[in-house]
């Protein structure tokens, strides 16, 4: 029997505990991941790259920040293979544990003054581990919610992991705002910055306890019963076969072979959201410091907007259930494009209320519209047997190219243009345009028939081919 994708008739009634476990775990994971971005702007450029000009130090610190994103496609491929062949639940437990251990280790890491060049090397290694874990985390939470959601609620329910990313950002930024506010600058740079990282240990333990109760999705259990998983059981299970054959039979290769256009769409569609988040929400702190402006208004504004996004992201996800994924995503990208130049002008003005409003328009509206509408859009492009691998690999590649490099590239552009923000504005405009064009060329997936999975005969013919 050939499984032909999910259907409303065999989807269970949505279980709130699935959403709770997915969102809380994502919150913990992205608290860990977001801590590094803020620390790179405020701390790491001083204590791990102390011999550099402040702005050059920021570029180097953001370079280690980008390493985490370079690791994400590798994590997406590895955990995608495991998720598509062994189950969704185990991946979500493994990624959370890996992220928590790496973040706690960063909180215990000696500085450059204590162990020399080994300090930034170890920092980079731990950031790589963070990125590897993140490569499977957000995709896993998205997939487990998608495969438990009634079709008419997919946009809303698959946007919920973004609540976790927003909550994690809120908690991480709030933790830094609290420590910088309560401690002197010397105390903060000496030991205070470690506190938010060490808190990760307790959050991770609780997150693991919550996620252990997650059930496996009905769709994965269905394809396992029908033999789709057994027919392509993953790289690890085929260790006795030649490497070339194991790679050829992997879900990663299957995703690119069967859905090349869709993979490219996923890579490009998130450009505005990725670049917008890391420029407006991370690089903006470096920009203010370079201008000699106080960062308190930005840090507090980023925290406030992270709270606002708890409402706006699922609202845009629900809107995509009514009007479609494409118009919501394109509309958000156009907002980011229009707001790029005014945003930095507002920062130069230094008025707290104006900075908060600019952050609301860019992150609370523009970025949230793209972020809320795209998870269901991405998952609907692929069938169950390769969905985890396809979304994990393509989305993480897009995040690396358009998001992970954004803070470092923006800082470098600031240097290249002699501290003028014009280069950064052009970068945001190009990324927003990429999202508009990519999504416009894609098909609307809301309410569309789901892709049909590859049959056993097709797999056997492919494997028999020279």
């Amino acid at each position: 029997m050939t499984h032909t994708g999910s259907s409303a008739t065999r989807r269970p009634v949505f279980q709130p505990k699935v959403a709770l476990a997915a969102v809380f775990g994502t919150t913990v994971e992205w608290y860990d991941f977001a801590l590094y971005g803020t620390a790179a702007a405020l701390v790491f450029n001083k204590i791990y790259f102390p011999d550099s000009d402040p702005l050059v130090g920021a570029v180097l610190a953001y370079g280690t920040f980008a390493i985490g994103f370079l690791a994400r496609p590798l994590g997406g491929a590895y955990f995608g293979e495991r998720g598509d062949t062994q189950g969704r639940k185990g991946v979500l437990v493994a990624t959370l544990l890996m992220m928590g251990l790496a973040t706690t280790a960063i909180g215990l890491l000696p500085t450059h003054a204590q162990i020399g060049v080994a300090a930034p090397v170890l920092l980079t290694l731990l950031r790589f581990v963070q990125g590897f874990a993140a490569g499977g985390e957000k995709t896993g939470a998205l997939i487990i919610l998608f495969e438990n959601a009634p079709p008419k609620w997919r946009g809303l329910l698959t946007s919920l992991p973004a609540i976790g990313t927003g909550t994690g950002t809120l908690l991480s930024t709030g933790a830094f705002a609290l420590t910088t506010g309560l401690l002197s600058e010397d105390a903060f740079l000496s030991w205070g910055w470690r506190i938010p990282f060490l808190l990760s240990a307790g959050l991770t333990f609780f997150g693991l306890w919550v996620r252990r109760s997650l059930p496996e999705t009905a769709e994965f259990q269905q394809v396992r019963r029908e033999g789709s998983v057994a027919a392509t059981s993953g790289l690890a299970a085929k260790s006795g076969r030649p490497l070339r054959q194991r790679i050829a039979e992997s879900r990663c290769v299957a995703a690119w072979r069967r859905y090349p256009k869709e993979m490219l769409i996923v890579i490009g569609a998130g450009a505005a959201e990725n670049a917008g988040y890391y420029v407006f929400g991370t690089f903006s702190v470096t920009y203010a410091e370079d201008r000699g402006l106080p960062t308190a208004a930005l840090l507090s504004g980023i925290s406030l907007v992270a709270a606002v996004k708890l409402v706006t992201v699922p609202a845009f996800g629900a809107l995509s259930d009514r009007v479609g994924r494409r118009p919501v995503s394109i509309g958000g990208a156009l907002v980011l494009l229009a707001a790029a130049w005014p945003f930095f002008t507002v920062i130069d003005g230094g008025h707290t209320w104006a900075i908060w409003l600019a952050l609301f328009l860019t992150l609370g509206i523009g970025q949230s519209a793209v972020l809320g509408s795209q998870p269901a859009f991405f998952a609907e492009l692929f069938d169950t047997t390769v969905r985890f691998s396809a979304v994990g690999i393509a989305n993480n590649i897009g995040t690396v190219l358009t998001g992970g490099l954004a803070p470092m590239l923006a800082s470098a552009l600031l240097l290249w243009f002699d501290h003028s923000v014009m280069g950064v504005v052009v970068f945001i405009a190009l990324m927003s345009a990429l999202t508009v064009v990519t999504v416009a060329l894609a098909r609307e997936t809301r309410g569309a028939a789901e892709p049909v999975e590859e049959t056993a005969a097709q797999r056997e013919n492919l494997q028999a081919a020279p």
Side-chain angles (χ1 to χ4, degrees):
M1 179 172 63
T2 301
H3 174 59
T4 58
S6 59
S7 66
T9 56
R10 62 181 180 74
R11 280 183 185 270
V13 175
F14 181 72
Q15 304 172 59
K17 71 176 183 179
V18 175
L20 176 63
V23 173
F24 184 82
T26 304
T27 298
V28 175
E29 186 120 8
W30 286 83
Y31 168 83
D32 293 353
F33 201 71
L35 279 177
Y36 196 103
T38 305
L42 299 178
V43 181
F44 294 161
N45 59 326
K46 299 180 178 71
I47 66 174
Y48 289 105
F49 306 97
D51 298 327
S52 304
D53 171 88
L55 189 54
V56 174
V59 173
L60 295 174
Y62 281 140
T64 62
F65 177 79
I67 289 294
F69 285 87
L70 295 176
R72 285 176 60 160
L74 298 176
Y78 175 77
F79 289 115
E81 186 78 15
R82 290 191 59 181
D84 280 333
T85 58
Q86 300 174 31
R88 295 18 177 156
K89 174 184 173 179
V91 168
L92 292 178
V93 172
T95 56
L96 183 60
L97 178 61
M98 185 178 294
M99 179 72 84
L101 291 174
T103 303
T104 303
I106 290 175
L108 299 172
L109 188 65
T111 66
H112 185 278
Q114 294 171 316
I115 61 173
V117 72
V121 170
L122 290 173
L123 179 68
T124 302
L125 176 62
L126 291 171
R127 180 59 178 176
F128 182 91
V129 174
Q130 279 192 323
F132 192 83
E137 160 58 32
K138 189 176 178 181
T139 305
L142 182 166
I143 297 302
I144 206 165
L145 285 170
F146 177 85
E147 293 180 352
N148 278 282
K152 65 179 181 179
W153 294 350
R154 285 177 182 164
L156 170 62
L157 294 175
T158 58
S159 70
L160 295 182
I163 291 181
T165 64
T167 306
T169 301
L170 173 64
L171 292 175
S172 65
T173 307
F176 268 110
L178 186 62
T179 51
T180 55
L182 293 178
L183 300 174
S184 66
E185 183 177 359
D186 288 342
F188 175 73
L189 290 176
S190 176
W191 56 269
W193 68 270
R194 299 181 183 274
I195 295 175
F197 285 89
L198 296 177
L199 288 175
S200 172
L203 292 173
T204 300
F205 179 80
F206 187 70
L208 290 172
W209 177 76
V210 171
R211 281 198 165 172
R212 288 189 63 186
S213 66
L214 275 175
E216 191 53 80
T217 71
E219 287 193 23
F220 181 81
Q221 292 175 348
Q222 175 95 4
V223 298
R224 174 176 278 169
R225 286 193 298 269
E226 294 175 357
S228 297
V229 171
T232 309
S233 55
L235 293 173
K238 299 179 179 182
S239 57
R241 300 189 182 186
L243 178 61
R244 180 180 177 183
Q245 184 177 1
R246 288 157 54 197
I247 294 174
E249 295 175 358
S250 70
R251 299 304 168 95
C252 172
V253 172
W256 279 105
R257 185 185 71 243
R258 293 161 53 192
Y259 299 104
K261 177 182 176 182
E262 288 80 1
M263 295 287 279
L264 293 175
I265 287 170
V266 174
I267 289 173
E273 183 265 317
N274 291 324
Y277 175 80
Y278 289 105
V279 169
F280 297 129
T282 300
F283 165 76
S284 58
V285 178
T286 298
Y287 176 79
E289 288 192 327
D290 182 63
R291 286 286 192 272
L293 301 171
T295 59
L298 271 170
L299 291 173
S300 60
I302 292 169
S303 297
L304 288 172
V305 172
V308 170
K309 287 172 66 176
L310 302 183
V311 176
T312 58
V313 170
F316 283 116
L319 182 62
S320 77
D321 283 327
R322 297 181 62 86
V323 304
R325 320 301 184 203
R326 295 166 72 243
V328 177
S329 187
I330 290 173
L334 291 175
V335 170
L336 291 172
L337 190 154
W341 177 259
F343 178 85
F344 292 102
T345 302
V346 166
I347 292 181
D348 290 337
H351 299 292
T352 297
W353 67 269
I355 290 173
W356 288 1
L357 178 60
L359 287 167
F360 172 75
L361 291 174
T362 53
L363 299 180
I365 299 297
Q367 191 244 349
S368 292
V370 183
L371 183 61
S373 61
Q374 289 192 346
F377 172 54
F378 293 163
E380 287 165 342
L381 291 170
F382 308 98
D383 70 67
T384 307
T385 60
V386 298
R387 182 176 292 134
F388 203 132
S389 296
V391 177
I393 295 167
N395 193 26
N396 280 304
I397 289 175
T399 301
V400 169
L401 297 178
T402 63
L405 300 177
M408 182 176 66
L409 179 59
S411 299
L413 287 170
L414 198 61
L415 280 172
W416 191 15
F417 282 81
D418 194 23
H419 300 266
S420 168
V421 78
M422 180 58 70
V424 179
V425 172
V426 171
F427 170 68
I428 288 292
L430 290 174
M431 294 300 98
S432 300
L434 178 58
T435 290
V436 171
V437 172
T438 303
V439 176
L441 292 175
R443 64 183 176 89
E444 178 57 65
T445 60
R446 181 186 68 93
E450 296 188 17
V452 177
E453 294 173 8
E454 195 174 48
T455 67
Q458 288 172 324
R459 285 191 295 270
E460 290 171 1
N461 290 337
L462 180 67
Q463 294 170 13

